[in-house]
Amino acid sequence: VNLPLIMVTTASVQPSNDHKIKHKNSTKEISSLIVVDVQNCFINGNLALIDSSAKQDGADVVPIINHLLQTVSFDVIIYTHDWHPTDHISFYQNLNKRRQYLLGDQNKNYSLFDTVTYKGPLVQTEQVLWPLHCIQDTNGAKLHKDLIVESKSNVFHVRKGLNSDVDSYSAFWDNNKQQKTDLDSILRRWNVTHVYVTGLATDYCVAATALDAIDLSYTTYLVEDACRGVSLETIDKKKQEMKQRGITFVQSSQVKALV
Ligand code: VGL
Ligand code: ZN
């Protein structure tokens, strides 16, 4: 299935918060579930989380997210997609073509998952050398087949990592914080105040998305059991950072009472 990219470009769908105001007199919280990168590559592809050091299975988030989708009435639902061109900067396989940009010894040997510093072509940036993953229009980039994805006016898809020369862990900004996706403008258009972040991978795209959400002044929840990550060390480090920055950790069973 080719996912339709539903972008708000016309005035045909006007979000209404009336139902919220009627049913919840005390608050005008508008909620969004953000489902980060629940794509085949992170489940059984070249970057399968189960093959990484934390040995977590990305597929485990699917029933948990589905249950949230079926039991909680979020005002807006966002699915993010890591969506890379083949010559993307994040691929280890493209290192040789980018050696001229390496900071330091340009002949040095690097391995998969090493971190390098590229001093260009855009700006100086640290980059983990990932295996090929989530290449545009491939099966690996598709959302997991069991994930519930409805086509409704309040459901949006956000693609990231399309620019060959910069990675994008966050679904809001590229890693250089130079270009924004549509995510913030979609959430603002719908007056979203509270976001619930789920998906893959806890220590990379989930953390980066949650940290940008709180930076952008959304009340931000990490739904802890609805995420899986790459390495225990970075999961721990990023969770501490998220807590310090004011993100609230909740379990999926607690979300219904909050929304
Ligand atoms: C991700 C590594 C590379 C993620 C994306 O979705 O967390 N991780 N690209
Ligand atoms: Zn990626």
Side-chain angles (χ1 to χ4, degrees):
V1 261
N2 260 326
L3 283 162
L5 265 191
I6 307 159
M7 295 299 174
V8 181
T9 49
T10 70
S12 60
V13 185
Q14 281 301 327
S16 160
N17 301 322
D18 294 354
H19 63 292
K20 241 336 180 321
I21 293 156
K22 268 177 217 140
H23 294 139
K24 278 192 165 186
N25 290 326
S26 57
T27 169
K28 284 183 199 165
E29 293 183 9
I30 310 293
S31 64
S32 175
L33 178 70
I34 304 181
V35 181
V36 177
D37 299 2
V38 183
Q39 293 166 277
N40 292 329
C41 262
F42 299 119
I43 292 163
N44 47 33
N46 289 337
L47 196 32
L49 300 190
I50 193 76
D51 297 329
S52 67
S53 64
K55 297 278 170 237
Q56 298 190 354
D57 189 349
D60 289 346
V61 303
V62 173
I64 299 171
I65 294 168
N66 283 347
H67 187 71
L68 284 171
L69 288 163
Q70 288 174 316
T71 57
V72 183
S73 62
F74 296 101
D75 296 294
V76 176
I77 296 159
I78 306 285
Y79 296 89
T80 77
H81 304 243
D82 212 33
W83 197 252
H84 301 312
T86 52
D87 62 349
H88 194 250
I89 190 169
S90 74
F91 297 150
Y92 173 75
Q93 284 80 352
N94 294 328
L95 171 65
N96 282 338
K97 284 176 236 151
R98 291 176 179 270
R99 280 190 178 276
Q100 59 184 299
Y101 298 117
L102 280 176
L103 185 73
D105 178 5
Q106 298 186 340
N107 298 313
K108 195 175 160 187
N109 278 324
Y110 287 102
S111 308
L112 213 50
F113 303 111
D114 281 350
T115 301
V116 299
T117 303
Y118 285 121
K119 55 186 191 231
L122 299 177
V123 296
Q124 184 165 312
T125 186
E126 284 204 349
Q127 180 65 56
V128 177
L129 300 172
W130 300 107
L132 295 173
H133 66 276
C134 296
I135 294 173
Q136 297 172 4
D137 296 308
T138 62
N139 188 55
K142 286 186 181 148
L143 297 180
H144 188 280
K145 65 178 185 2
D146 298 329
L147 183 68
I148 297 172
V149 183
E150 287 189 293
S151 298
K152 296 205 297 197
S153 62
N154 65 337
V155 175
F156 300 90
H157 294 269
V158 173
R159 291 170 167 174
K160 61 190 182 61
L162 288 80
N163 182 335
S164 300
D165 296 325
V166 58
D167 208 354
S168 188
Y169 293 152
S170 163
F172 289 98
W173 286 102
D174 67 53
N175 288 4
N176 300 336
K177 283 246 167 123
Q178 298 209 316
Q179 244 191 318
K180 249 177 156 178
T181 66
D182 289 336
L183 181 52
D184 189 36
S185 69
I186 293 168
L187 298 179
R188 294 204 184 281
R189 194 172 290 120
W190 283 72
N191 299 316
V192 167
T193 56
H194 290 52
V195 300
Y196 295 81
V197 187
T198 63
L200 312 174
T202 319
D203 34 350
Y204 290 94
C205 294
V206 170
T209 299
L211 288 165
D212 278 349
I214 196 140
D215 262 2
L216 290 162
S217 303
Y218 298 99
T219 301
T220 305
Y221 294 93
L222 182 84
V223 188
E224 204 174 2
D225 58 323
C227 303
R228 292 295 183 276
V230 175
S231 105
L232 292 177
E233 207 184 340
T234 47
I235 291 169
D236 196 55
K237 190 175 136 215
K238 283 289 165 183
K239 280 189 171 178
Q240 281 186 36
E241 187 181 345
M242 284 189 270
K243 280 185 183 156
Q244 276 163 10
R245 296 263 295 271
I247 293 165
T248 305
F249 284 37
V250 293
Q251 302 305 309
S252 58
S253 58
Q254 298 173 279
V255 174
K256 192 176 164 61
L258 292 166
V259 173

